[in-house]
Amino acid sequence: MRWIACMSVIVLAACGGGGEEKKAVAKAQQLEPGLWQLTSQVTAFSKADAGPPAIDTPVGSRATEAVCVGEGRPPAALFAGPDYDCRYDSYYGRNGRVNATMMCRHDDLNGNIPVTADGEFETDSIEFTRDLRTSLSGDGDVLITQQVTGRRTGECPPTPAGAN
């Protein structure tokens, strides 16, 4: 009986990996403040009505932009793209996951542009899918999906004196 009990202890000790502990990799809780460079590529594009597209960015179109990220929740421009004026409807960014829904406007378009972003991030990199669907007062509505990748490239440039 003692022999069986001793063997059980030896087997359990051998399964423990020699006393090594496995550590879980901590997920990023927020993006590192600084200047971020984003590259987006259109992966899906379709017209939602009969009019010519108000935003004409065919599949394969690429764009690069820079966004300054501060402490706390990143600016909506990080997820919406350039030239949009957006407000968050909801935002979740923790444990390496990001999900944002925004309502946006564009100076050249009359109507709303709902935008969603869903993806993953680390403190110095991000990858997400951006979905945009226009809801304009006339024809020209489109549905656009983009794959966006980004990385922190350095510090934000200083704000000029007198600028808001």
Side-chain angles (χ1 to χ4, degrees):
M1 251 347 192
R2 287 185 190 164
W3 182 80
I4 293 174
C6 287
M7 288 305 292
S8 298
V9 169
I10 291 172
V11 169
L12 286 173
C15 291
E20 296 176 22
E21 291 182 26
K22 294 181 181 178
K23 296 181 181 178
V25 176
K27 296 284 187 174
Q29 295 302 307
Q30 69 179 24
L31 296 171
E32 182 74 24
L35 188 62
W36 285 72
Q37 179 156 351
L38 302 170
T39 302
S40 61
Q41 181 172 3
V42 176
T43 58
F45 176 89
S46 62
K47 295 180 2 175
D49 56 32
I55 301 171
D56 196 7
T57 54
V59 171
S61 298
R62 297 177 74 88
T64 301
E65 64 185 286
V67 177
C68 188
V69 173
E71 294 287 338
R73 182 169 67 180
L78 184 75
F79 301 109
D83 304 324
Y84 291 95
D85 178 23
C86 302
R87 66 170 167 71
Y88 282 109
D89 287 334
S90 68
Y91 173 78
Y92 174 86
R94 280 193 309 241
N95 300 321
R97 291 283 312 153
V98 65
N99 183 280
T101 59
M102 298 164 284
M103 186 58 68
C104 302
R105 298 184 78 61
H106 191 283
D107 286 342
D108 296 338
L109 302 173
N110 188 13
N112 293 318
I113 306 168
V115 176
T116 62
D118 186 51
E120 299 179 343
F121 70 94
E122 305 216 359
T123 56
D124 61 353
S125 65
I126 191 167
E127 185 172 332
F128 61 91
T129 300
R130 175 190 300 149
D131 288 305
L132 171 150
R133 179 183 180 128
T134 62
S135 180
L136 305 175
S137 61
D139 285 341
D141 287 319
V142 294
L143 293 85
I144 300 171
T145 299
Q146 298 171 316
Q147 189 61 38
V148 182
T149 58
R151 63 184 176 84
R152 185 180 184 278
T153 58
E155 299 300 320
C156 291
T159 305
N164 289 336

